[in-house]
Amino acid sequence: MMRFQNRVVIVTGAGSGIGEAAVRLFLSEGAKVAAVDWNEESLANVERMLLPEYRDQLMAIVADAANLSAVEQMVNGVVGRWHQVNVLFNNAGIEETDSITETTEAMWDRQITINLKSVFACSKFVIPHMQRARGGAIVNTASIEGIVAEPRGAAYVASKGGVVMLTKEMALDYAADNIRVNCVCPGWIDTPMARRSIAKHGGLERMMPEIQRLQPLGRLGTPEEVAKAVLFLASDDASFITGTALMVDGGYTAQ
Amino acid sequence: MVVLPQLGGKIWSIEYRPHSREWLWHNPRIDVGLAPFGAAFDDYWSGGADVAFPSCYESTWNGWKVPDLGELWSIPWNVSHTFLPDSVTLTLTVGGRIWPVEVQRTITLNSHLPVVNMTFKITNVGSQSFPFLLGFHPAIAAEPGYRLDLAPGNVKVDEGTQEMGDIGQEYSWPYLAKSESDRPRDMRIMPPYTEGSYGGHFFRPSTAALWWAITDPKEQSGIGLVASINEWQGLWIWQVFGGWRGYYHVAVEPWTGYPITLHEAVKLNSARWLAPHSNYQATLTTVCYEGIDHVTAIDIDGTVFS
């Protein structure tokens, strides 16, 4: 299936996990992909792995997705080379969990900035290009924690709740421009970020079986499974879907 | 290139790597460092290239007093970077403390060309229109025998020692004659340090081209800058050959108006005005080159002709 032939896709947080998986899938379906991350090293690894096969389809860009100036330059660079942007996958994110009283101002600012402000920043500069092209699709990475709160996740839960509501708001603002805006809400996904978080809260060996037991499907999801949902929402297969938050959580929030 | 966002977004170094050649002048007596807001620029001038806004010399407009070289060179700028496959862009932003402005400057270095593109965007975030001058102040590490080439145009002598012309005198670049009987001085060739001269001249191009180039004829390499006459009115040529504080350097500065003191520019209707919520945009292109001993033109994209 080549659903993204001749389409230009920007993926933020492309250096690992769900972002990296999405880059691979978009490329495999014919898209030209601008892979954006502020971590030069992880982005270089992705580039090294994918460039031999997708030399003309892949552009790696080091930029802070939450910094408006950097994002403006990044989008200019993509449009300068490929003349359009058809899909934006706002995926940059971090997780530093704690309760309100234990959350420092720096932790709060970091998570709100990277998880929520990056959606604002990238969308702000991409949407005018989508409007000129008379359409496009934006997919944001929210979280199950944007729908159901979990303890000791104040800033993360607030940021992801913000992403869900911003998704709905943008969907309304730009429906008339044929720009669809949706988000995915991953549950427990086996990513480097999730592993870091689990290791910090009780250790991987001890916590992993317990977390698996909490999943109706009995396992963690994979980045590829989330990326497939992202591609669905970004594709014409989802042409009548906008403003939705799609759970990709193995049934976790159905309980 | 080395850029110091904390020091007014100063460009500290432009090195042409094939020749290991540093083109920006560094003050041998003043180390690079922070200056207090409102300081006299010359007393803290460590070298490099600075942004001047909204005046070169100290000035007052509407009761708003602006320091020497303006208000942006001594305050920290925010910075972000974007690495694309064939270029890197720094974006520097700062807000004015006196003038109600937001200033954004991008500096883009291409991986395959010795060309640096710089853009300025100045936005009025206040509630009334105001006048301004914008200048870019690159101090070049020139030496005796180096050559300064300019687009065709006319020059006015504003200040300096008598070797560099009489105050108020005008001449067509590059020959300066003090009287009809006087042998004209070729202003393109830089004199020895022992001359002890200096001058501040303002250059206006007679064609649509606005560019300058400083060449080391022995090494056959140089640095040049090109700008659009629609955005910049001319060049302030600050040449010091031992005569001002004992230095030797040349700064050829594009300015959006003249005179380069704001209240004087306002009086002569030469300052630009910015309405609330509007912005002013301008670009500059800097290029390093080699293999030639003089320059006859620089295209707006940075292509150098000899």
Side-chain angles (χ1 to χ4, degrees), chain A residues 40 59-64 67 69-74 77-78 81, chain B residues 79-85 89-93 104 106 108 119 121:
Chain A
E40 202 173 340
M59 170 164 41
I61 302 175
V62 178
D64 176 355
N67 182 302
S69 300
V71 168
E72 184 178 15
Q73 295 303 319
M74 177 271 285
V78 174
R81 180 154 166 189
Chain B
V79 65
S80 66
H81 62 261
T82 309
F83 291 177
L84 292 163
T89 297
L90 291 184
T91 304
L92 298 133
T93 56
Q104 184 191 70
T106 65
T108 300
T119 67
K121 183 179 177 185

